[in-house]
Amino acid sequence: MPELPEVEVVRRGLADWVTGRTIESVTVLHPRAIRRHVAGPGDFAARLAGRTVTGTARRGKYLWLTVDDPALALLAHLGMSGQLLVGEPDRPREKHLRVRATFTDGGLDLRFVDQRTFGHLMAAELVPDAFEAAASVPVPIAHIAPDPLEDAFDDEGFYRALRRRHTGVKRALLDQSLISGVGNIYADEALWRAGLHWARPTETLTRPEVVRVLRGVREVMAAALAVGGTSFDSLYVNVNGDSGYFDRSLEAYGRRDEPCGRCGTPIRRDVFMNRSSYSCPRCQPRPRRGVF
DNA sequence: CTTCGTTCCTGTACGC
DNA sequence: TGCGTACAGGAACGAA
């Protein structure tokens, strides 16, 4: 399940393998993969054909390729199971191949493979970034906040935004308009590190607690990035098809009934937002109404 | 305006 | 063996 560290691993791979190369043709094999590109597959392919890739960028879980048209980007979101793979152009088609791009040099091709089809690609317009001077951002994601690894992320502004909200801290961490790049896995890990329960009301958070949450997010993401990201199955891989190793370092996520690494209490699993939340009942006690 | 439940999709695991 | 169900879950969308 790609979150920020996994997307960053993919971005770095693309930077190595496609920068400077010219796209020859783009084939859409499944229209759902470009459903956010409202002009359709023909327009998507036509906008990208002949363009030379000039660089790569990322914000949160979105990554994009810049091209020799400064107003255009190839924007990608991997969803739950999306993969961007670089490989020999004559290899067999993957079962869930959705989009394929070839290059004029006849070398390695670029494939978007996505089993569960929650991911998508689009050819998007680039506009000036409201958060970082001199930077550009694709229009469809201009509304999301910077991610916590960006210089443009505003820690104090994040604290004030949380205090204005009336929701639980985990829901806020998953809200890409407040902080981008955090998904279910790293939200649970960051809250475990910060010693906060997922349902803690955001309006009661203290400044030191928010500092702990942000430190937790940044530290766990940096640690995951250092080992190539988190993989539970074969669905997350880098551009060469290799998995990361961070699942061996997770403290809370997926560890139901296993002992907490700090206190030994069995990790608890709750259903929240129709998905799993893992926490330590002792290190992350459930908040009581009226306590704060 | 904010908040929150629903929906999209496919493959795997598991109980009976 | 096969069938039904739970689960994995990001984010757009609509309702309240």
Side-chain angles (χ1 to χ4, degrees):
Chain A
M1 296 120 229
E3 299 181 32
L4 188 157
E6 293 74 38
V7 177
E8 175 62 13
V9 170
V10 172
R11 185 200 65 77
R12 291 177 184 179
L14 292 175
D16 290 342
W17 291 104
V18 304
T19 303
R21 300 175 66 203
T22 300
I23 297 169
E24 179 170 64
S25 67
V26 175
T27 307
V28 177
L29 295 101
H30 196 307
R32 186 172 152 79
I34 55 126
R35 64 195 178 282
R36 300 281 166 207
H37 189 89
V38 290
D43 183 81
F44 174 78
R47 284 181 187 276
L48 295 168
R51 300 264 72 109
T52 299
V53 178
T54 55
T56 63
R58 182 189 54 72
R59 167 162 283 170
K61 304 171 201 171
Y62 287 89
L63 68 85
W64 62 95
L65 301 181
T66 55
V67 296
D68 53 356
D69 176 349
L72 181 69
L74 171 54
L75 177 65
H77 192 293
L78 302 178
M80 289 181 60
S81 56
Q83 306 172 343
L84 284 165
L85 302 172
V86 171
E88 292 297 330
D90 57 355
R91 71 191 189 282
R93 287 185 176 185
E94 293 80 358
K95 181 175 181 183
H96 301 295
L97 178 61
R98 309 304 188 192
V99 178
R100 176 171 181 252
T102 60
F103 294 85
T104 56
D105 56 17
L108 305 181
D109 71 2
L110 175 62
R111 300 186 181 193
F112 180 61
V113 176
D114 189 12
Q115 178 199 104
R116 295 177 198 164
T117 74
F118 277 34
H120 67 273
L121 305 181
M122 61 189 303
E125 182 190 357
L126 280 171
V127 293
D129 183 9
F131 299 101
E132 186 152 25
S136 295
V137 64
V139 167
I141 65 164
H143 66 287
I144 76 170
D147 66 59
L149 301 189
E150 289 183 74
D151 290 339
F153 188 85
D154 178 358
D155 288 28
E156 178 63 20
F158 180 63
Y159 165 72
R160 291 196 304 267
L162 291 179
R163 294 285 302 202
R164 287 194 299 268
R165 285 287 181 118
H166 295 275
T167 189
V169 63
K170 181 170 176 183
R171 192 182 280 274
L173 282 174
L174 298 176
D175 185 337
Q176 306 295 300
S177 71
L178 294 175
I179 179 172
S180 65
V182 182
N184 202 39
I185 296 173
Y186 294 110
D188 280 2
E189 292 301 303
L191 291 172
W192 181 87
R193 287 174 178 241
L196 291 174
H197 189 274
W198 51 266
R200 175 67 182 278
T202 53
E203 66 269 30
T204 70
L205 288 168
T206 65
R207 193 176 267 102
E209 286 173 330
V210 175
V211 167
R212 293 212 308 270
V213 170
L214 286 175
R215 185 191 304 133
V217 169
R218 288 176 172 131
E219 288 182 353
V220 74
M221 285 183 169
L225 198 47
V227 294
T230 300
S231 301
F232 285 96
D233 48 37
S234 59
L235 289 180
Y236 161 68
V237 294
N238 66 18
V239 296
N240 302 312
D242 301 321
S243 296
Y245 297 101
F246 194 68
D247 53 308
R248 301 170 190 178
S249 305
L250 295 174
E251 298 281 2
Y253 186 87
R255 298 192 65 235
R256 170 154 59 166
D257 297 334
E258 295 178 43
C260 169
R262 266 194 307 254
C263 73
T265 306
I267 295 292
R268 166 184 60 199
R269 173 184 178 271
D270 299 307
V271 174
F272 161 71
M273 289 175 75
N274 280 329
R275 62 210 57 190
S276 296
S277 272
Y278 299 91
S279 59
C280 171
R282 184 165 174 180
C283 302
Q284 301 167 263
R286 175 180 281 275
R288 287 173 293 146
R289 277 172 61 87
V291 151
F292 299 103

